[in-house]
Amino acid sequence: MCAIAGKIVSRGEAVSEGDIGAMNGVMAHRGPDGHGVFISRDGRVGLGHRRLSIIDLSSLGTQPMYCLNKYWIVFNGEIYNYAEKRLALEKEGYSFKSNTDTEVIPALYDKFGVECLQHLRGMFSFAIYDEQRRVLFCARDRVGKKPFKYYLNNDVFIFASELKAILTQDEYQREPDFKAIHHYLTYQYVPSPLTGFMGIQKLEAAHYLLIEVDTMKVTKRRYWSLDYSEKWALTEGQWCGRIMDKLEEAVGIRMRSDVPLGALLSGGVDSSAVTALMSRLSSTPIRTFSIGFEEDKYNELNYARIIANKFRTEHTELIVTPVSAEEILPRLAYMYEEPFADSSALPSYYVSKLTREHVTVALNGDGGDENFAGYDRYAVHKFAVNYGGFLSKQLIDQIGKILGGRIKTTFFNRLERLITTLPDDAARRYVNYICYFTNAMKGALYSGKFARAMADNDSYTLTEDRFRESGTANMLDAALYADFMTYLPDDLLVKMDIATMAVSLEGRSPFLDHEFIELTAKIPSGLKLKGINSKKYILKRALLTLLPKDVMYRPKMGFAIPLDVWFRTRLKDYAKSVLLSDKAISRGIFKKDAVKALLDEHTRTKINWGYHLWALLMLELWFREYFD
């Protein structure tokens, strides 16, 4: 697990070690164990690397790495099947100098070209400079675990694991991308390929780039996608066996490490399953790490303790109490470098920091909900698809009027959205239900100038397009596909990558093993969400002999923080001072009266605008960190 960077110039000044060193320097937290720079003989190509040593801790693992007398590689991630691929390559005459997974990648590229990506099982972003063909081959893993951001014009191509590295280069002049901000307010994250910075893009998950050094011609291709069209006709018992076998395999290969490892244990089904399987596969007690909150509504520590006690782990806990908002929130905005409003980034950072004090690698339960329809949104979506047509427009309008007068808790706010959009297309209704600021809410919040500028940009279409792209008529499968393409790589995986790498911790996610995902795509959707509310049905049945029922069948809590309480107490004055400041209003995005109304309603009534206020606060702090 590391940081990568690079630069190609087609004319003008050559790439210097100072250029690459500057990019390496701002990403030192991702790789504190070493760094390296490569500059091509003609000065047109430079590569940089920061190392977090996980496999083969010797100097032979230093990058940029030169392989087969023609390839230079910088690599961030882990290839879990590298040992098996290395053995196969050795039988065909390839030899290796190190025991790293890094060295296997250019050997596979030498043999298969861009098709080498089909042979990699793991999380990765990398760049291979082919000296003979003068081509740079860049790629990102199938689900988007590891980041790859880049800037391109006719004269230069710059890439890095974090875009703050790109900002060190003179060729890029920073400018906010207001269309990205418009989309951010809908989703709480910036959807790929946008970043919030004009001209800087994210390489989408499961894509690769080929850059011809002499012409700067760029080719981008997608090399993998999920297929929900093929369903296997197995019994529930057979599915349970397939799920457990593949999940245990995915956990096992992620326990390969030359440094200490543990598990992030929330007390939910997915992290509990990972912990249980790790304990089964390990000859020594597993280290587990959990955090909780003073507010009981948000505290899952009791469930984490049940799992820790059952599997006799070496368990460590931390109660999170927010330090000074002025200290932690600007740091959070800087760390995430794009506008990012998933509030669970805060506890993710704290649990990562706690974990890094004891281990260097930690497994987690990310991906279980997307594989097995674990979120409430899927149950609501299925209900609307199955039963929405039975309600008359008159009844829907009447229910909408009733709900419109109710106390707007988050639940009633979303329920009102659902009821009033039942006649809509299923994909559009789904987006309207899951989003943070709806189109109507943004219309009321935006200044006239900003509303006119964004009039032709409907954020909803970004997810609607993924529904159509899914290739399935089953609306639950279509929603799962859409979330795999959007919410997972652009929110959840960003959250954990930044939180873990900020403290030099490697996170691994067995539920996101691509072979496991391909298996779950073949499970009939009715076995994932049985009826309307039996979420993760087949996974829970598969885990019946492994996990206690009081953990598996408890209400889902997520990894939320008590924003509703904090914005009425600890964050109240700070939020007002930031959001109503002359500086914030002068940006011309929001009407001051509309922002003030949100703050007042939240603090003076029972209406809960906590998540919306957090999104506005993190956006303003992002502006201050990167543009003021």
Side-chain angles (χ1 to χ4, degrees), residues 89 464 599:
L89 288 165
E464 290 177 294
L599 285 161

Side-chain angles (χ1 to χ4, degrees), residues 2 76 85 108 159 238 353 393 413 460 494:
C2 311
N76 170 26
K85 292 299 178 182
L108 289 169
F159 72 88
Q238 289 171 327
K353 190 171 182 290
K393 185 178 186 306
N413 183 293
Y460 288 19
V494 170

Side-chain angles (χ1 to χ4, degrees), residues 185-186 435-439 441-442 445 460 598 612 615-616:
L185 290 165
T186 297
C435 71
Y436 281 67
F437 287 94
T438 64
N439 283 345
M441 293 170 70
K442 289 198 288 188
L445 186 67
Y460 288 19
L598 281 181
H612 303 82
L616 297 179

Side-chain angles (χ1 to χ4, degrees), residues 585-620:
I585 300 305
S586 69
R587 303 194 194 281
I589 300 175
F590 307 120
K591 293 181 287 193
K592 184 173 183 177
D593 288 347
V595 176
K596 186 176 184 300
L598 281 181
L599 285 161
D600 288 345
E601 281 191 335
H602 187 88
T603 55
R604 296 177 183 175
T605 72
K606 293 183 179 180
I607 298 174
N608 180 10
W609 295 120
Y611 291 103
H612 303 82
L613 293 173
W614 183 267
L616 297 179
L617 181 60
M618 296 311 295
L619 176 62
E620 174 58 22

Side-chain angles (χ1 to χ4, degrees), residues 176-195:
D177 182 350
F178 288 99
K179 184 169 72 172
I181 292 168
H182 173 63
H183 294 327
Y184 155 82
L185 290 165
T186 297
Y187 293 107
Q188 81 173 351
Y189 57 84
V190 175
S192 294
L194 305 177
T195 62

Side-chain angles (χ1 to χ4, degrees), residues 28-32 52 356 359-361 499-506:
H29 51 279
R30 298 184 76 96
L52 176 62
R356 186 60 178 93
V359 299
T360 310
V361 175
T500 54
M501 293 310 296
V503 295
S504 308
L505 175 72
E506 176 176 300

Side-chain angles (χ1 to χ4, degrees), residues 305-318:
R305 288 170 194 151
I306 291 172
I307 297 301
N309 290 335
K310 179 175 176 61
F311 296 101
R312 299 180 180 179
T313 71
E314 295 184 20
H315 189 56
T316 305
E317 296 179 352
L318 173 71

